[in-house]
Amino acid sequence: MSAYDLAVVGGGPAGVAGALTAAQAGLRVALLDAAPRLGGQYFRRLPETFHATREAALHHGLDRFLRQSRALRSLADVLLEHRVWAVERHGGLGDFVVHAVAGDREERPVTVRASALLIATGAHDRPLPFPGWDLPGVLTAGGAQALLKGNLVVAGRRVVVAGTGPFPLPVAAGLARAGARVVEVLEANGPLGLARHPALAASKLGEAAGYALALARHRVPYRARQAVVAAHGDGELTHVTVGRLDRDWRVVATRTVECDTLAVGYGFVPQVELAVQAGCAMGHDLDGSPVVSVDAAQRTSVAGVYAAGEPTGVGGAELAEVEGRIAGHAAAADLRSAVHLAAEPPGTAVHRPAEPPGTPAHWAAGPAGLAVPEPLLRRRARLRAFAQALHRAYPVRPGWRDWLTPATLVCRCEEVPYEAVREAMDLGATDARSVKLLARPGMGWCQGRMCGYAVACLAGELPQAPRRPIAQPITLGSLERMTDDPS
Amino acid sequence: MADVIVIGAGAVGAACAYYAARAGLDVTVVDRGPVAGGTTGAGEGNVLVSDKEPGPELDLALLSNRLWRELAEVADFEYEPKGGLVVAETPEVLARLEELAGKQGVEHTRVTDLRDYEPHLAPGLAGGVHYPQDAQVQPMLAAARLLKAARERYGSLRLRTGVTVTGVLTSSGRVTGVRTTEGDILGGAVVNAAGTWGGEIARMAGVELPILPRRGFILVTEPLREPLVRHKVYTAAYVTNVASDSAGLETSAVVEGTPAGTVLIGASRERVGFDRTVSLPVLRRLAAQAVALFPALRDVRAIRAYCGFRPYCPDHLPVIGEDPRLPGLHHACGHEGAGIGLAPATGHLLAQVLSGERPDLDLTPFDPGRFS
Ligand SMILES: Cc1cc2nc3c(=O)[nH]c(=O)nc-3n(C[C@H](O)[C@H](O)[C@H](O)COP(=O)(O)OP(=O)(O)OC[C@H]3O[C@@H](n4cnc5c(N)ncnc54)[C@H](O)[C@@H]3O)c2cc1C
Ligand SMILES: Cc1cc2nc3c(=O)[nH]c(=O)nc-3n(C[C@H](O)[C@H](O)[C@H](O)COP(=O)(O)OP(=O)(O)OC[C@H]3O[C@@H](n4cnc5c(N)ncnc54)[C@H](O)[C@@H]3O)c2cc1C
């Protein structure tokens, strides 16, 4: 007998929407998130000042999200500062164990048992290496958003924002708003990729136009086909080399720009290791990212495991929320159908993920019989089309490799320079894993979250779904005290 | 046409190729994956004499230990002659450890104050035995750099990655090459260094080799600023586990630091086929045993875990030498949990066989025909 019907990992738009939908349908729900606040990548990091500003209109979603969070807290158990390091499937269907560690100094192991599992773990930044990217003052777009929390830190800084796609725009607008001097915003791809697509959702266009307006108001130049190809400074950032790029991102001309802060964003990597642990079948998104394969109701290939938001493909906060709601509906419907739970007696056997199947028997062939409201499915289709259009318009082009010098660090945790990666390949490494075994990129603290994409590209393969049996660091003391009994 | 085709670019295949090239033979190495992508990339790099029962495996280990020291002059693969420390919980176990050390006839010191050797060891242990010859290498680098050294020094070595052997070619009862996904490769002799998959290669050639996987998990900690563990440290239970015939789960703490600052914690042994599913109970037991040995590890974080499949034979001895059932087919596989340590001796002896010399050690105990 499980303590909960549904355990949700992740408290961003997807996880909160999924948990709330399921709880409103009568399920007993627990939501776990590593952070001290709900909100995920997008909402948690919005500075308080956003509320009172005109930009707040752009984030009308925030009010909705806060309402959802409040409702969720009254209907479900919300376990914050719980870092999930492993999920296990006991026996057969409907018996999952989520292993987390709670607290910071006084870390303690926590175990949550549930009949179903929703993986809504979001994504993390996808930086590209370039000379000097390890200098203090160089941040990822996500890191810059975190900085925004304290206006004091930001005000007066000279900032360059570089990358591709729309996500660096709100960062630039936020920085300008908070009093930073945003010197320029650089888009490595062409200027019009986004606007040309017919699937462009009106609301999204409005949003993008809004940021563009905000940037114009602060007189921030927006330059296409340009990127920061090197950062310089003695101990901290003082200036950057900006390259004018050809279509493949090879540098055709350079100039120097003075700045003390650089925010770079080249997309996101979905966090899928918990799905890999559970044995879910994986695929690749248009941008090359490994993603969890799901059916029309967000079911993964493992019965009882659902995925929503960025783990199924990067697509923004609105799509994440819609997917979360669909997953919540589906989980409630699936758990209610007696067949599902009676199918297998409570298991005692060791857990064993399913073989990646062709088409799993429990996947819905079409939208019929999903128990998911039709309008939600239509919104998802529209938002997904938009996400795919973004991937097509703002790809990462191979020319970035030419920005590297032999000494450019590829892996910052283990301080692995580009030349070591090349030496590994010369020694007979043919993929990211063997490069890692020979040269150590990805073996350090972040376990390849930062460098994994770049190393895979350099090794000439698509990034593979990460196998991380320990998804979050855990002290040996907690590991020793971990139990299978729900606390 | 090559003199020798080596199947497998793990530690054992690399050593075979290195010594064969050094002996003047023309060598082609094929691997279906990258270099060191098999079990060599999924284990640890201990080069041990301390855990071997007296007999043919210890003789092989002692020869290999000396050869590793020589090879460390040839190529850089983080060779560390750090020494091993076997600890005993009780005086009775300590007495048995000392008895074993005496029978081994290997250089060793009896240790009563363990803290002199390992300041962070738990109090209350009875004592231990220190083996100065035990060493550590980075196995993946060792395999890769040995192949490179052979290529550079002897010039007669080709490495072909991403090439899968699908059959063994024979003509009038003799091996003449291999069939691969990239076409046939002809050679005077074929060396089966396919590790845990050595049985599959043998079957392609129509002979049986009873090599099976024995799964092992390793826990890896965050890098530590100050080294906490100086030697390879393990408990006496390890020796009995290594030699055990049980199919069930066995764990015994084996703890060591690496040049990167991380601490590696092994080692479990289970026979569960090629099942990669992570077993949390195994990880928990490894953590508990490591903390029992080094209480300071309690607050150190594990950041990674991985598993590999040791290639084992029923008698726990490797298979080394020409197959009496099929001339030209040579085996160098089945080294179980000691394939890194035993790789150079295996390569050296096999190169002697390939060159028609008398091997330095009697290969009878490792004879491929011994199972039939
Ligand atoms: C700089 C930047 C700008 C952006 N701008 C926009 C924009 O303008 N418009 C837009 O629509 N989108 C924007 N996004 C994207 C938006 O943030 C994401 O699409 C959205 O947050 C995805 O929601 P999610 O629920 O899938 O994941 P997330 O919001 O990332 O939530 C995942 C949650 O899971 C938790 N978690 C992950 N792993 C674990 C674990 N092992 N244990 C416990 N908890 C875990 C995390 O702590 C996190 O709270 C931006 C993102 C960034 C970084
Ligand atoms: C957890 C663990 C810890 C260990 N610790 C130690 C230790 O501390 N010290 C020690 O000495 N040993 C240790 N071992 C054992 C050691 O790792 C192995 O004995 C050793 O790696 C075997 O090396 P190998 O070259 O024979 O096999 P492998 O490294 O597996 O190489 C065999 C190669 O053959 C290739 N191959 C297979 N089939 C084909 C085919 N059909 N065509 C082409 N290529 C093929 C594979 O791709 C592979 O690369 C440990 C093992 C494990 C699992």
Side-chain angles (χ1 to χ4, degrees), chain B residues 220-245:
Chain B
V220 187
T221 71
E222 61 189 314
L224 305 183
R225 257 176 250 282
E226 299 285 322
L228 195 87
V229 185
R230 297 176 184 173
H231 305 81
K232 176 201 167 76
V233 180
Y234 61 93
T235 53
Y238 180 73
V239 184
T240 50
N241 277 352
V242 167
S244 159
D245 282 320

Side-chain angles (χ1 to χ4, degrees), chain A residues 193-250:
Chain A
L194 179 66
R196 263 198 243 113
H197 198 275
L200 195 62
S203 65
K204 279 286 167 181
L205 184 60
E207 194 175 320
Y211 291 126
L213 273 180
L215 289 175
R217 210 168 43 242
H218 293 284
R219 296 198 179 74
V220 176
Y222 174 82
R223 304 201 161 102
R225 287 223 193 287
Q226 300 197 20
V228 170
V229 296
H232 315 277
D234 187 9
E236 57 185 302
L237 183 68
T238 51
H239 58 289
V240 295
T241 303
V242 172
R244 200 146 57 73
L245 309 178
D246 69 10
R247 286 192 160 269
D248 285 329
W249 293 16
R250 270 183 287 268

Side-chain angles (χ1 to χ4, degrees), chain B residues 6-10 12-14 16 31 191-198 201 330-333:
Chain B
V6 177
I7 308 170
V12 174
C16 290
D31 199 299
V191 176
N192 170 15
T196 317
W197 303 273
I201 301 291
H330 298 71
H331 301 286
C333 51

Side-chain angles (χ1 to χ4, degrees), chain B residues 7-13 31-32 38-40 42-46 163-165 193-195 197 201 216 218 308-311 335-341:
Chain B
I7 308 170
V12 174
D31 199 299
R32 63 183 171 195
T39 312
T40 297
E44 292 176 87
N46 295 303
V163 176
T164 304
V165 172
W197 303 273
I201 301 291
I218 305 282
F309 301 95
R310 304 177 185 90
H335 295 74
E336 196 164 340
I340 308 306

